[in-house]
Amino acid sequence: MGDKVTIAKFLCQINTELVRLARNLVDLEDLEEQEKRENRIQRRWWTRDWLLLRPIHGQYEALMAELQVEDHQVFQQFLRVDVATFYDILARIEGRITKQITALRYPISPALKLAFTLRYLATRNAYRDLRFGFRVAHNTMSGLIVDVCQALIDVIEQLFVKLSTEPEEWQQVAQTFQQKWQFPHTLGALDGKHIRIKKPPHSGSIYHNYKGFDSIVLMALVDAKYRFLWTQIGDVGSSSDGQIWNHCDLRQALEEGVLGVPDADLLPGDDVDTPYYIIGDDAFAMRTWLMKPFPY
């Protein structure tokens, strides 16, 4: 019996020591958020002990570390990116989301920030749900996800969302469309996507779309492999695709002929020159540079 008591005491001491060590690693971001509310809410503790065990049991530190060694396929299912892509993205944005270590703060690592941001984008789980896996306070997580998303926009957008401006580049897009979809002379596929939001206060019905929920609209032109060539984001949900298209910069550029679109040439098996064009659905008006389905 004495040995069992001794072992139990030893395990309790280990657990206590782990909590103490974790407290030395806890980031000040949790504490700062709590300090802001201290005058309004009487707290029983500065931060919860189970959050402090993040370096030992956190989803990034434990599960993801195991998956990137043992099971790359499940790692990709978890974050929707493979291991190599995860670290490539991290290398590109790390400098923008890293905070300095101080005597009072050991900040959350950039890799952990990127991990729970990608998990949020992949699942849209609530912050209060994600905190249980990653062991980061939900109010801290909410601000950091915004920071990481902004860094992704600033760094990645110019690299991967690039509108062609040379005839040779457009011809490569058209060739891929013909090879993959048997649709010649196509420079891109155009459509809008409603992104569900919680509407801003006092905004009335301006964000309410025809599908019955509040949204902003992503209008995009993509190539044959679904890669973005051009995007416009933020129009209110009550706007139709046609309305948004009529006032966007891409339409204006196409009409003014400043995008380097190739000159008209022959379609396969034809003897008449045909212009190059983008394709869309019935929401858009037909033009020489925009093809839509023919009405029956």
Side-chain angles (χ1 to χ4, degrees):
M1 179 64 70
D3 290 341
K4 292 182 179 180
V5 171
T6 301
I7 293 173
K9 289 181 178 180
F10 179 67
L11 292 175
C12 290
Q13 290 173 355
I14 291 177
N15 189 62
T16 301
E17 183 65 16
L18 288 175
V19 172
R20 187 188 69 79
L21 291 174
R23 283 186 182 277
N24 293 332
L25 299 176
V26 66
D27 55 278
L28 189 61
E29 292 166 356
D30 289 348
L31 302 180
E32 288 174 346
E33 184 64 29
Q34 292 165 359
E35 285 176 353
K36 293 178 182 178
R37 300 184 181 184
E38 185 179 11
N39 294 331
R40 293 176 294 162
I41 303 175
Q42 184 64 37
R43 292 188 176 273
R44 294 173 54 195
W45 44 68
W46 281 102
T47 190
R48 301 176 186 275
D49 287 346
W50 65 272
L51 289 175
L52 301 180
L53 293 176
R54 180 197 313 139
I56 303 168
H57 301 302
Q59 213 160 42
Y60 171 74
E61 293 80 0
L63 175 62
M64 286 182 55
E66 181 179 0
L67 291 179
Q68 65 182 294
V69 174
E70 300 290 341
D71 197 330
H72 286 195
Q73 182 178 0
V74 174
F75 183 100
Q76 183 168 354
Q77 292 173 356
F78 186 70
L79 292 186
R80 303 297 194 271
V81 298
D82 58 33
V83 175
T85 301
F86 175 82
Y87 284 105
D88 180 58
I89 295 173
L90 179 62
R92 294 177 187 275
I93 70 171
E94 187 172 10
R96 292 175 176 262
I97 61 174
T98 300
K99 293 188 177 181
Q100 291 184 342
I101 298 175
T102 69
L104 298 176
R105 178 180 69 188
Y106 195 95
I108 294 176
S109 71
L112 173 55
K113 293 177 185 178
L114 177 61
F116 61 64
T117 298
L118 292 178
R119 182 63 178 169
Y120 170 75
L121 295 175
T123 65
R124 295 305 306 272
N125 287 344
Y127 301 139
R128 291 182 181 273
D129 291 336
L130 290 173
R131 64 174 174 163
F132 294 118
F134 289 97
R135 297 190 182 229
V136 178
H138 67 278
N139 45 13
T140 299
M141 189 180 294
S142 63
L144 294 178
I145 286 176
V146 173
D147 293 342
V148 174
C149 287
Q150 188 59 56
L152 290 170
I153 293 171
D154 295 340
V155 175
I156 304 297
E157 181 182 27
Q158 298 304 318
L159 295 174
F160 297 103
V161 184
K162 184 179 180 182
L163 190 63
S164 301
T165 57
E166 300 294 334
E168 296 78 11
E169 296 174 343
W170 285 118
Q171 286 173 343
Q172 290 179 1
V173 173
Q175 288 173 5
T176 306
F177 261 103
Q178 182 169 350
Q179 293 168 0
K180 188 174 180 62
W181 301 109
Q182 295 75 55
F183 216 114
H185 280 214
T186 303
L187 303 179
L190 179 72
D191 203 0
K193 169 68 176 178
H194 287 271
I195 310 299
R196 188 185 296 268
I197 65 167
K198 182 179 180 181
K199 70 175 183 178
H202 314 297
S203 60
S205 61
I206 190 171
Y207 289 93
H208 200 71
N209 62 40
Y210 72 96
K211 297 184 178 183
F213 59 87
D214 296 303
S215 66
I216 58 174
V217 181
L218 161 65
M219 181 74 70
L221 183 73
V222 301
D223 67 10
K225 297 181 179 179
Y226 312 109
R227 297 176 298 194
F228 288 117
L229 299 174
W230 168 87
T231 62
Q232 178 170 302
I233 306 170
D235 290 277
V236 295
S238 60
S239 300
S240 68
D241 287 351
Q243 289 175 315
I244 297 170
W245 172 247
N246 288 337
H247 298 93
C248 74
D249 55 0
L250 179 59
R251 177 193 170 112
Q252 181 178 353
L254 285 167
E255 289 182 333
E256 295 175 355
V258 297
L259 291 181
V261 173
D263 295 331
D265 58 20
L266 299 177
L267 289 171
D270 200 356
D271 59 358
V272 177
D273 286 342
T274 301
Y276 286 79
Y277 46 79
I278 62 177
I279 56 175
D281 59 21
D282 278 326
F284 307 100
M286 187 177 293
R287 296 288 187 270
T288 56
W289 38 261
L290 194 155
M291 181 67 67
K292 57 178 283 185
F294 289 105
Y296 290 101

